[in-house]
């Protein structure tokens, strides 16, 4: 059975979304992780082979956290990305696997000669 969030709190600097679940699990999800792992088709594609590696998001901020029914939230970022709908299970997955996903992301950027930093 899925767990439900009991709290969603955006940090003052808008770079961390704190999520607490009804079983006591609690995660601090970085805006960067949430942005580069957005469940949107724009990022994920329609097949795993189509996933887009999004560079330059180290300083991205979350501008909006909007409920979507009783099952998810839509996040709006300061780079105008706002099409990802984050189901509770996906937020939980990002909390539990965030370090591995971030490591894989950093490695994928390096493979492509890209950076987490925004081009100036």
């Amino acid at each position: 059975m899925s767990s439900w969030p009991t709290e969603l709190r955006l940090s003052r600097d808008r770079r961390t979304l704190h999520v607490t679940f009804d079983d006591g699990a609690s995660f601090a999800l970085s805006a960067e992780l949430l942005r580069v792992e957005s469940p949107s088709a724009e990022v994920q594609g329609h097949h795993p082979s189509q996933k887009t590696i999004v560079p330059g998001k180290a300083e991205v901020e979350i501008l909006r956290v909007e409920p979507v029914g009783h099952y998810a939230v839509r996040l709006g970022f300061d780079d105008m990305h706002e099409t990802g709908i984050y189901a509770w299970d996906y937020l939980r997955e990002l909390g539990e696997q965030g370090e591995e996903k971030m490591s894989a992301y950093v490695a994928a950027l390096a493979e492509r000669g890209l950076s987490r930093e925004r081009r100036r």
Side-chain angles (χ1 to χ4, degrees), residues 46-66:
H46 296 285
H47 184 271
S49 66
Q50 297 176 331
K51 184 171 181 177
T52 301
I53 304 303
V54 185
K57 300 303 174 188
E59 298 176 22
V60 72
E61 293 179 9
I62 299 167
L63 299 181
R64 286 178 309 289
V65 179
E66 302 168 351

Side-chain angles (χ1 to χ4, degrees), residues 18-83:
H18 298 274
V19 184
T20 303
F21 288 91
D22 57 6
D23 63 359
S26 185
F27 305 100
L29 304 173
S30 73
E32 181 182 19
L33 174 67
L34 290 162
R35 175 61 180 89
V36 303
E37 291 294 332
S38 170
S40 69
E42 174 188 333
V43 173
Q44 298 297 332
H46 296 285
H47 184 271
S49 66
Q50 297 176 331
K51 184 171 181 177
T52 301
I53 304 303
V54 185
K57 300 303 174 188
E59 298 176 22
V60 72
E61 293 179 9
I62 299 167
L63 299 181
R64 286 178 309 289
V65 179
E66 302 168 351
V68 177
H70 293 291
Y71 68 94
V73 290
R74 179 189 319 268
L75 301 179
F77 296 88
D78 68 354
D79 66 355
M80 300 301 124
H81 179 75
E82 55 185 25
T83 58

